[in-house]
Amino acid sequence: MEINLVFRAIFCNFADVKLYSDQALAKILDKEMFHLIGDVADKMGVECYVVGGFVRDIFLERPSNDIDVIVVGSGIEVAKALKDRLGKKAHLSVFKNFGTAQVKMGDEEIEFVGARRESYSHDSRKPIVEDGTLEDDQNRRDFTINAMAICLNKKRFGELVDPFNGIADLEDGIIATPLDPEVTFSDDPLRMMRCIRFATQLNFQIEDETFDALSRMADRIKIVSGERIEVELNKIIMAPHPSIGFEYLQRSGLLQIILPELAALDIVEKRDGRAHKNNFYHTLEVLENVAKSQQPIANSQLWLRWAALLHDIGKTKSKRWEPGIGWTFHNHNMIGARQVPAIFRRLKLPMGAEMKYVQKMVDLHMRPQVIADSEVTDSAVRRLLNDAGDDIDDLMTLCEADITSKNEVKKKMFLENFRMVREKLADLQVKDYKRLLQPVIDGNEIMELFHLQPSREVGVLKQYLKDAVLDNKVENEREPLMQLLLEKAAQMGLKTN
């Protein structure tokens, strides 16, 4: 179908808008679906517009499946009429409680909603919703770049309605609110997280007045559920440069509320002329290094990034000044690992395998460095391999990312040592030590041999045999292990039949 786009910026308050070419806009809007929607709306005598993220991404030349259509009237009725036109190949879902409908055909999903105005009470994010005009609907949008609309009616097809100069903000790389940012954030405090998330994902700057409002309104985030905050945090963490978002969260005061354990690292203490590094900004460097090592981005990599974010949270509680030595952070890995479950629970992050993985990474992140600092022995590497299990490669990635020294000689030395650890790990895996790490005599046989119930004694004997294998004292074979077992049991006063 030939398209004759009339692409005009209307309701704009500035003269020198850069108008994008009809061809650029046509690449996205050359869709039969949009013409069908416009035709249905014309027959029903209502205005309709594609709005929000889809319009924003047209001009950013980003792929988008986020298609929202605003109808100045009933969005549900337009969606039903479109479904009738498309027939059985389309699926319609109606959500009467929200006044919305979705039409899905193939990979395309289009949300329909009537234009509306919103008002809020101080203690809730849930708005009071009334029917409204297109102007009302654009006024309620979170950011100028998300408030642009493109008309789908035939006579005005392709016309841009941009009352808040969203195109200019896109060109300048700015996140700003359409109306007073303090009112915008007070009405729906989750918008503060979305503000930082968009700035992070798009690598945009937050406009000064908008950022000042973030700082003033930060305390309002407390009425937002952990689940909603989690979604935005995960999107920030998975951005190409997640440190942008966490610096904004820290500077605005939001981080002190939602993740105080991380915010507390943003301090440098000095004593006797000796200062420790700023562990907050070190953490952001580690997070960036992990993000760089994970290309292309995949959702499965989320939890390694969380591990990078939390790997040093134990340093606040473990920090000590030791005369003659300086600042120390002994056992910060273990202290941090104990903090992980509470953080996950508070932020409504999953408490199962994902939490245990992050906890393990935080707990073990110093181990490869300790091994690399001394002689890289088979025994030490075998124990590391046993404790890290299938996550050994992720652990090494985290440890390598943790080397942020500005001393290039020192940095090169650390990375070379880690390379040796990796080589030793590869050698041991080739020899299939991983399979042999569990002694051939298990707990059930120990209980049967010494007439024991599950107990501390059984655990002690199992660990004794495992340590013997890990330390290469004996081969993982029945006869030498049985001899060790009997000797240890005799020392503990245990007897066989």
Side-chain angles (χ1 to χ4, degrees), residues 239-262:
H241 295 286
S243 64
I244 294 171
F246 284 96
E247 185 169 2
Y248 271 131
L249 287 169
Q250 178 72 342
R251 286 173 50 210
S252 67
L254 284 165
L255 195 64
Q256 289 89 327
I257 298 170
I258 61 178
L259 196 47
E261 298 88 347
L262 180 61

Side-chain angles (χ1 to χ4, degrees), residues 175-233:
I175 304 293
T177 59
L179 305 177
D180 182 343
E182 193 162 307
V183 174
T184 297
F185 295 147
S186 180
D187 282 350
D188 184 356
L190 185 65
R191 289 170 176 165
M192 294 188 287
M193 295 295 298
R194 286 170 55 82
C195 176
I196 291 173
R197 188 250 292 180
F198 280 119
T200 307
Q201 289 179 325
L202 302 176
N203 199 11
F204 279 19
Q205 297 290 316
I206 299 175
E207 181 257 345
D208 289 345
E209 185 180 349
T210 301
F211 182 79
D212 289 343
L214 275 179
S215 301
R216 291 194 301 271
M217 305 303 295
D219 202 56
R220 288 281 287 158
I221 200 68
K222 292 177 182 177
I223 74 167
V224 180
S225 70
E227 290 89 346
R228 299 307 299 272
I229 291 173
E230 173 210 344
V231 169
E232 297 301 324
L233 274 179

Side-chain angles (χ1 to χ4, degrees), residues 382-401:
R382 195 178 292 115
R383 283 180 173 277
L384 176 64
L385 183 57
N386 176 70
D387 292 342
D390 291 336
D391 301 315
I392 186 64
D393 286 338
D394 286 355
L395 178 62
M396 293 303 300
T397 297
L398 174 60
C399 293
E400 288 162 349

Side-chain angles (χ1 to χ4, degrees), residues 17-69:
V17 179
K18 176 183 174 184
L19 295 183
Y20 290 73
S21 69
D22 286 354
Q23 291 80 10
L25 192 59
K27 285 178 66 176
I28 304 298
L29 288 183
D30 187 11
K31 288 177 178 283
E32 179 69 18
M33 182 68 77
F34 286 121
H35 291 276
L36 285 174
I37 293 169
D39 189 48
V40 167
D42 285 340
K43 285 183 167 54
M44 298 178 71
V46 295
E47 297 175 25
C48 71
Y49 302 82
V50 60
V51 68
F54 185 84
V55 178
R56 176 196 69 226
D57 289 339
I58 287 173
F59 302 118
L60 291 175
E61 298 183 0
R62 299 171 75 214
S64 177
N65 295 317
D66 182 17
I67 304 176
D68 294 316
V69 172

Side-chain angles (χ1 to χ4, degrees), residues 367-422:
R367 286 274 294 281
Q369 183 171 326
V370 171
I371 293 172
D373 283 345
S374 57
E375 184 183 354
V376 184
T377 65
D378 281 3
S379 177
V381 175
R382 195 178 292 115
R383 283 180 173 277
L384 176 64
L385 183 57
N386 176 70
D387 292 342
D390 291 336
D391 301 315
I392 186 64
D393 286 338
D394 286 355
L395 178 62
M396 293 303 300
T397 297
L398 174 60
C399 293
E400 288 162 349
D402 199 15
I403 305 303
T404 61
S405 173
K406 300 300 181 286
N407 183 325
E408 290 300 321
V409 174
K410 187 176 179 181
K411 186 175 181 179
K412 185 177 180 181
M413 178 189 72
F414 275 126
L415 292 176
E416 174 61 20
N417 287 349
F418 280 140
R419 185 191 64 77
M420 292 169 59
V421 173
R422 279 190 179 273

